[in-house]
Amino acid sequence: MTSDQRVSVPDSIRTNGASPNPWWANAVVYQIYPRSFQDSNGDGIGDLPGITSRLDYLADLGIDVIWLCPVYRSPQDDNGYDISDYRDIDPLFGTLDDMDELLAEAHERGIKVIMDLVVNHTSDEHAWFQESRDKFSDRADWYWWRPAREGHVPGTPGAEPNAWGSYFGGSAWQFDEVRGEYYLHLFSKKQPDLNWENPDLRAAVYSMMNWWMDRGVDGFRMDVISLISKTLDPKGRLPGESGGSIQDGPIGPEGYSDSEPFCSGGPRFDEFLKEMRAAVFSGREGFLTVGEAPGIEADQNRHITNPTNGELDMLFLFDQCNVGHGPKSKWDLVDWDARDLKRALGGHQDAVREVGWTSLFLDNHDQPRAVSRFGDDSTEKLRSLSAKALALLIQMHRGTPYIYQGEELGMTNAGFTELSQYRDLESINLYHQRVDEAHISTPAEMLNSLAHVSRDNARTPMQWDASTYAGFTAPYAPREPWISVNPNKDVINAKAQQRDPDSVFNFVKKLIDLRHTNITLTAGLWDLLDPEDPFVYSFRRSLDEDNDLDTPDDEILVAVNISSHSSRLPEQTAALINGQGDSDSVLLSNYDASSTAASLMLGKLSPWEAFIYRLK
Ligand code: TEU
Ligand code: CA
């Protein structure tokens, strides 16, 4: 698409008048998991030169921003989310020169690059942590060090300072022989949590962020930023700690309590975000900040993304990702239907109707593939239809869409059947915790849960072509890919889809183009229709009547049949169509305009039928 076709969004309606310079309001972001995107040197692991070599593909797709998952120096315990040096690139991925080259080549193509910022924790191999193990060092207080529970021998079972469990299994506390105390790690024991109460630590983080901004990055995706402020009692004690005055929550089936109610959106969260905004972003322009925010409610999102509060541009909220998860854990799978998705995504939309913004996504590197999870990958035809339907659904809400690598091809779950095929520490640890330690799952049950929700489902190599390793690494490469390629690369791959006008890729390309050129889709209000219909998810996008724009598309209907059978058009949706069906009004459909017009006249949608329709 040429840039002169692109509408620029007037300030008055971009975020209902509230945001200064929200260029990202009609941008589309593409997430890259470097390890799995493109290997350039045959070691079986994706790298920075590999990404640079694929920028033309991304330019063809039409995206505006790349979110690059962590490439900093790291022992790779959690694939780079454990950083040992924030100011260097891990040799697995390349060098600082390779990073500069990627930035320059992306900018050359009009693509911005935001980096992952992981500052809730570092690696235990970071120099800050090593120094902190000495009680008398300047950095003694940069992490959450605590003595053993009163009356217990340090390092023995039950002596942990409180009952919090780690997201990756086991206790959230690790005893350190050198310091003779425990440190907190909400994630793996190689990811100690930073103590944001310490102002020197905060200053060091902001200085590092400024260093990257000055080097040319365009902003940050902030890893679990919602967890940086922990709830403390007046004496600085954590919930459940000996002598503290705040009670911990109940112990769950795996034997630990949940830290999230005390860590997510904690008491100083807004203060820290405002301080960061002022220290890093004031005086800069054209950047983007997006915070990963598990545990944050839609209403808090409105406050955080209200530009007058000076915190973050947008957050990732996870309600839609929790659809289909049992109340206790993501490993318990439960039935769901379109109403659950409407409640989750609709709640996000309603909260920012007046002010604030939201991000739109179904897929990322921690989630199973959307087409396997919410769509239907049982046949090639249904896979293609449902991948398009889900892409249309998510991108037509109000907010900034994020596409995770391979989602634009409708890539599916990995199809692993044995534990040895998994690489993710979460999958492996939780298997052992639930099967061997807590005895709450059988091996077959846990393998079934992993097949549905393991993070590795999203981490198999990008499928570029049908060759042995899907073009991810050379067929003659000395090393196999670090995780196996999905055998369906023969059918699902970028090369085939770029050539096929009916592919998921070319459909997503049209969606991105619409986001760029249709102002109603960027700025229009969002109104859910037929909330109680279990199959059809439909909504209306419309510009405020008093907008100052001259546009033909000021009222648009979006409808998606979230099922593999045909469904009746529900009442409110049908009333808007009023028995008419005009193929010229179909802006996009995953069938074709005339069959969608016929569906509308009959009042019945075909399996996974999804369309965008101009009402006036
Ligand atoms: O994920 C945080 C987060 O919300 C996850 O813990 C999520 O609950 C988990 O992946 C569910 O399976 C971020 C990163 O996206 C993830 O890749 C990292 O492992 C994690 O933080 C720790 O840095
Ligand atoms: Ca490599």
Side-chain angles (χ1 to χ4, degrees):
M1 193 198 73
T2 57
S3 54
D4 55 347
Q5 290 170 283
R6 184 168 180 150
V7 271
S8 71
V9 185
D11 279 336
S12 58
I13 61 163
R14 272 181 167 168
T15 51
N16 291 352
S19 183
N21 187 31
W23 60 270
W24 32 256
N26 68 359
V28 177
V29 184
Y30 188 91
Q31 182 192 352
I32 292 183
Y33 196 65
R35 190 171 258 276
S36 304
F37 194 63
Q38 178 67 60
D39 175 26
S40 72
N41 61 353
D43 67 354
I45 298 174
D47 46 50
L48 291 174
I51 296 170
T52 305
S53 74
R54 293 292 187 180
L55 285 172
D56 286 335
Y57 168 83
L58 298 179
D60 178 28
L61 184 58
I63 54 100
D64 306 281
V65 184
I66 291 170
W67 148 25
L68 188 64
C69 285
V71 290
Y72 311 89
R73 196 175 274 272
S74 160
Q76 304 289 327
D77 182 53
D78 185 20
N79 293 353
Y81 282 93
D82 49 316
I83 298 169
S84 55
D85 185 349
Y86 289 109
R87 299 188 195 218
D88 202 1
I89 299 294
D90 197 90
L92 266 189
F93 299 125
T95 62
L96 278 170
D97 285 343
D98 293 329
M99 184 66 201
D100 291 340
E101 169 91 1
L102 170 61
L103 289 173
E105 291 289 324
H107 291 159
E108 181 76 20
R109 290 166 178 80
I111 297 173
K112 295 183 189 260
V113 180
I114 64 171
M115 280 184 103
D116 223 301
L117 178 83
V118 190
V119 290
N120 174 68
H121 43 267
T122 65
S123 164
D124 64 334
E125 296 180 35
H126 195 291
W128 295 346
F129 183 78
Q130 288 305 320
E131 225 181 288
S132 180
R133 297 171 78 190
D134 172 359
K135 252 184 200 164
F136 303 101
S137 79
D138 290 345
R139 297 202 167 94
D141 194 27
W142 282 31
Y143 294 81
W144 293 95
W145 293 102
R146 289 293 187 273
R149 194 185 288 256
E150 259 169 38
H152 288 256
V153 179
T156 60
E160 293 82 14
N162 73 11
W164 287 354
S166 143
Y167 286 98
F168 292 156
S171 167
W173 295 95
Q174 176 67 24
F175 184 68
D176 181 58
E177 298 282 351
V178 173
R179 174 134 168 176
E181 287 185 314
Y182 286 83
Y183 63 86
L184 178 68
H185 60 90
L186 294 181
F187 294 90
S188 95
K189 55 175 182 273
K190 290 187 65 65
Q191 293 169 300
D193 279 52
L194 284 165
N195 175 14
W196 276 68
E197 300 293 319
N198 184 307
D200 296 335
L201 170 270
R202 300 203 301 275
V205 168
Y206 307 148
S207 144
M208 174 271 286
M209 292 171 74
N210 274 308
W211 185 83
W212 279 108
M213 291 299 289
D214 293 343
R215 210 175 178 101
V217 307
D218 301 290
F220 298 98
R221 174 269 186 187
M222 303 176 183
D223 191 61
V224 283
I225 200 70
S226 55
L227 304 180
I228 59 177
S229 165
K230 276 80 169 156
T231 300
L232 298 170
D233 75 4
K235 289 187 183 148
R237 296 210 172 92
L238 290 161
E241 218 187 308
S242 306
S245 60
I246 305 176
Q247 281 234 312
D248 198 359
I251 306 289
E254 284 148 7
Y256 301 96
S257 67
D258 183 6
S259 63
E260 205 165 283
F262 304 104
C263 297
S264 183
R268 300 185 69 186
F269 184 44
D270 294 305
E271 176 197 334
F272 293 158
L273 291 178
K274 282 190 222 291
E275 184 184 76
M276 177 195 281
R277 185 86 173 196
V280 180
F281 300 103
S282 70
R284 297 189 192 269
E285 275 191 15
F287 61 87
L288 166 63
T289 61
V290 48
E292 191 205 21
I296 294 289
E297 307 283 335
D299 287 343
Q300 292 168 282
N301 178 48
R302 174 177 52 235
H303 178 87
I304 293 163
T305 62
N306 178 344
T308 56
N309 293 327
E311 298 187 18
L312 295 174
D313 295 330
M314 63 192 91
L315 297 180
F316 294 129
L317 304 180
F318 286 92
D319 304 82
Q320 74 282 18
C321 296
N322 297 332
V323 166
H325 292 175
K328 292 212 183 82
S329 123
K330 77 174 199 175
W331 310 105
D332 303 326
L333 309 172
V334 297
D335 289 340
W336 63 276
D337 66 38
R339 286 169 293 189
D340 300 295
L341 274 180
K342 295 182 206 183
R343 271 190 288 274
L345 294 168
H348 299 167
Q349 295 286 305
D350 289 338
V352 294
R353 189 179 175 85
E354 301 300 330
V355 66
W357 197 247
T358 190
S359 56
L360 308 171
F361 71 100
L362 292 174
D363 263 332
N364 68 32
H365 66 294
D366 294 332
Q367 300 296 328
R369 291 285 182 177
V371 69
S372 301
R373 174 187 204 165
F374 301 115
D376 186 343
D377 63 5
S378 65
T379 68
E380 176 51 19
K381 184 166 177 222
L382 287 169
R383 182 198 67 84
S384 173
L385 279 172
S386 63
K388 292 172 189 168
L390 293 168
L392 184 148
L393 178 77
I394 197 73
Q395 290 203 32
M396 293 300 112
H397 283 78
R398 184 166 184 272
T400 300
Y402 287 71
I403 298 171
Y404 175 66
Q405 66 187 43
E407 188 178 5
E408 76 280 16
L409 307 175
M411 274 179 63
T412 67
N413 277 352
F416 294 157
T417 52
E418 286 168 35
L419 191 62
S420 64
Q421 293 173 292
Y422 290 93
R423 299 288 175 267
D424 179 24
L425 84 170
E426 181 194 52
S427 297
I428 296 167
N429 290 356
L430 268 292
Y431 178 96
H432 292 304
Q433 177 167 313
R434 292 174 66 95
V435 173
D436 305 330
E437 288 156 30
H439 304 290
I440 47 180
S441 297
T442 64
E445 280 166 354
M446 198 53 193
L447 283 174
N448 180 51
S449 297
L450 288 176
H452 284 93
V453 295
S454 167
R455 308 195 296 180
D456 279 341
N457 284 306
R459 299 177 179 184
T460 60
M462 178 72 178
Q463 290 164 209
W464 295 105
D465 60 41
S467 66
T468 313
Y469 297 130
F472 163 72
T473 187
Y476 49 82
R479 300 278 295 273
E480 285 188 14
W482 68 278
I483 188 168
S484 356
V485 171
N486 193 316
N488 66 21
K489 53 113 174 111
D490 292 341
V491 184
I492 306 169
N493 67 68
K495 193 172 174 190
Q497 293 203 18
Q498 280 186 295
R499 289 196 291 241
D500 171 6
D502 284 331
S503 65
V504 181
F505 177 89
N506 279 307
F507 189 82
V508 170
K509 208 171 146 169
K510 288 180 198 152
L511 285 169
I512 296 172
D513 196 49
L514 270 171
R515 294 273 338 177
H516 289 159
T517 53
N518 186 308
I519 200 151
T520 309
L521 296 175
T522 298
L525 295 171
W526 180 91
D527 289 287
L528 183 63
L529 301 162
D530 300 298
E532 292 311 320
D533 191 275
F535 303 118
V536 177
Y537 188 150
S538 52
F539 50 84
R540 186 173 44 183
R541 302 293 315 274
S542 58
L543 287 173
D544 256 340
E545 277 180 7
D546 52 3
N547 83 77
D548 48 1
L549 299 157
D550 177 24
T551 162
D553 303 329
D554 63 355
E555 208 174 317
I556 286 171
L557 169 69
V558 176
V560 180
N561 178 11
I562 309 276
S563 82
S564 302
H565 51 70
S566 58
S567 299
R568 293 216 62 76
L569 262 195
E571 208 182 314
Q572 294 174 345
T573 310
L576 287 175
I577 298 290
N578 199 19
Q580 308 290 303
D582 168 17
S583 59
D584 288 342
S585 300
V586 178
L587 297 182
L588 189 63
S589 162
N590 61 350
Y591 280 70
D592 60 51
S594 54
S595 57
T596 288
S599 294
L600 293 180
M601 275 185 283
L602 292 169
K604 208 166 134 192
L605 296 182
S606 298
W608 291 102
E609 185 160 7
F611 64 84
I612 309 169
Y613 191 82
R614 179 186 298 143
L615 291 170
K616 52 176 192 211

